[in-house]
Amino acid sequence: LAKTTQPISMDSYEGQEVNITCSHNNIATNDYITWYQQFPSQGPRFIIQGYKTKVTNEVASLFIPADRKSSTLSLPRVSLSDTAVYYCLVGNFGNEKLTFGTGTRLTIIP
Amino acid sequence: DAGVTQSPTHLIKTRGQQVTLRCSPISGHKSVSWYQQVLGQGPQFIFQYYEKEERGRGNFPDRFSARQFPNYSSELNVNALLLGDSALYLCASSLHRTGEKLFFGSGTQLSVL
């Protein structure tokens, strides 16, 4: 299972775009990249998933370069409610042992 | 539709006791996974069940066991509780096998005294 590396913490002001980068140098050919968000005392919540290039949904964008050794989660115009821990996971469908790292603690400043 | 539901929400036990945690997946989801999350760390994989069979097991001792029922609900059992078992226990369901989009419950906060 590919190991991921993320910044431990990040701060940003309300209204700015936030980019969180995840490094996964050993990603396998059939691995997907998935990001989850977690608030205190709650379970993680799926944000976005992708394999290559760019994926966009109503809450975020995911940028994956051609070599797929890293990925960037982009949150547009963040608000205080985006303060949470963000996890980057790498794995393939059928991989039962998905592993979460320590995540990135994002704090939004008013 | 209801999301993933877990019970109880909070539990206090003493060392050496046994505990059973329960999880009901989203309707139609056949896969249930259990995770342990210690304060300040990411969730750690314990078990995955799919179609009532164990499909994966993390690095946890045999004191941890689980099962999945015909209605796809699941129980996690922990015997001979240790202080280090204090954690948030999360259940996640998915439509098929783990690896795709997981839906998590709010967890059971277990405190072992």
Side-chain angles (χ1 to χ4, degrees), chain A residues 36-49:
Chain A
Y36 286 84
Q37 175 194 54
Q38 187 177 26
F39 298 112
S41 300
Q42 294 186 26
R45 183 176 71 103
F46 175 91
I47 301 175
I48 198 166
Q49 184 176 71

Side-chain angles (χ1 to χ4, degrees), chain A residues 36 38 87 94 96-97 101, chain B residues 37 42 45 48 57 97-98 102:
Chain A
Y36 286 84
Q38 187 177 26
Y87 294 99
E96 299 87 358
K97 300 182 181 182
Chain B
Q37 186 171 26
F45 174 80
Q48 192 233 356
R57 185 186 185 109
R97 300 281 293 273
T98 302
L102 296 176

Side-chain angles (χ1 to χ4, degrees), chain A residues 32 34 36 38 40-47 49 85 87 89 91-103 105, chain B residues 33 35 37 40-45 47-48 55-59 88 90 97-107 109:
Chain A
Y32 282 74
T34 311
Y36 286 84
Q38 187 177 26
S41 300
Q42 294 186 26
R45 183 176 71 103
F46 175 91
I47 301 175
Q49 184 176 71
V85 178
Y87 294 99
L89 281 75
N92 59 73
F93 294 169
N95 182 348
E96 299 87 358
K97 300 182 181 182
L98 274 185
T99 301
F100 288 74
T102 53
R105 184 171 300 277
Chain B
S33 300
Y35 288 79
Q37 186 171 26
Q41 298 183 16
Q44 298 300 305
F45 174 80
F47 284 109
Q48 192 233 356
R55 301 289 183 167
R57 185 186 185 109
N59 294 324
L88 180 66
L90 295 162
R97 300 281 293 273
T98 302
E100 59 181 86
K101 183 175 179 179
L102 296 176
F103 295 82
F104 284 84
S106 294
Q109 184 65 54

Side-chain angles (χ1 to χ4, degrees), chain A residues 24-103:
Chain A
H24 29 79
N25 291 319
N26 298 320
I27 189 169
T29 303
N30 56 348
D31 282 343
Y32 282 74
I33 300 156
T34 311
W35 285 80
Y36 286 84
Q37 175 194 54
Q38 187 177 26
F39 298 112
S41 300
Q42 294 186 26
R45 183 176 71 103
F46 175 91
I47 301 175
I48 198 166
Q49 184 176 71
Y51 182 80
K52 62 180 179 180
T53 62
K54 176 183 176 182
V55 179
T56 298
N57 61 23
E58 63 276 8
V59 298
S61 295
L62 178 60
F63 298 92
I64 306 170
D67 66 5
R68 304 200 327 123
K69 292 183 182 299
S70 67
S71 59
T72 300
L73 173 72
S74 181
L75 304 173
R77 299 180 298 281
V78 294
S79 64
L80 296 178
S81 63
D82 293 316
T83 294
V85 178
Y86 292 81
Y87 294 99
C88 165
L89 281 75
V90 173
N92 59 73
F93 294 169
N95 182 348
E96 299 87 358
K97 300 182 181 182
L98 274 185
T99 301
F100 288 74
T102 53

Side-chain angles (χ1 to χ4, degrees), chain B:
Chain B
D1 283 341
V4 176
T5 58
Q6 293 186 242
S7 63
T9 56
H10 295 82
L11 203 52
I12 299 175
K13 292 286 189 177
T14 57
R15 282 179 297 176
Q17 286 188 313
Q18 176 264 341
V19 67
T20 298
L21 310 181
R22 296 176 176 82
C23 172
S24 293
I26 291 173
S27 177
H29 285 194
K30 299 180 179 180
S31 174
V32 170
S33 300
W34 287 94
Y35 288 79
Q36 180 196 66
Q37 186 171 26
V38 175
L39 191 63
Q41 298 183 16
Q44 298 300 305
F45 174 80
I46 308 176
F47 284 109
Q48 192 233 356
Y49 277 78
Y50 178 72
E51 287 284 18
K52 301 177 285 293
E53 292 188 9
E54 182 181 309
R55 301 289 183 167
R57 185 186 185 109
N59 294 324
F60 282 82
D62 292 342
R63 300 184 296 107
F64 289 76
S65 63
R67 56 180 174 170
Q68 187 176 34
F69 299 98
N71 66 354
Y72 301 108
S73 66
S74 177
E75 286 183 352
L76 175 70
N77 295 284
V78 186
N79 294 322
L81 285 168
L82 303 174
L83 295 180
D85 294 331
S86 295
L88 180 66
Y89 287 84
L90 295 162
C91 173
S93 76
S94 61
L95 192 57
H96 303 296
R97 300 281 293 273
T98 302
E100 59 181 86
K101 183 175 179 179
L102 296 176
F103 295 82
F104 284 84
S106 294
T108 295
Q109 184 65 54
L110 173 64
S111 298
V112 182
L113 305 179

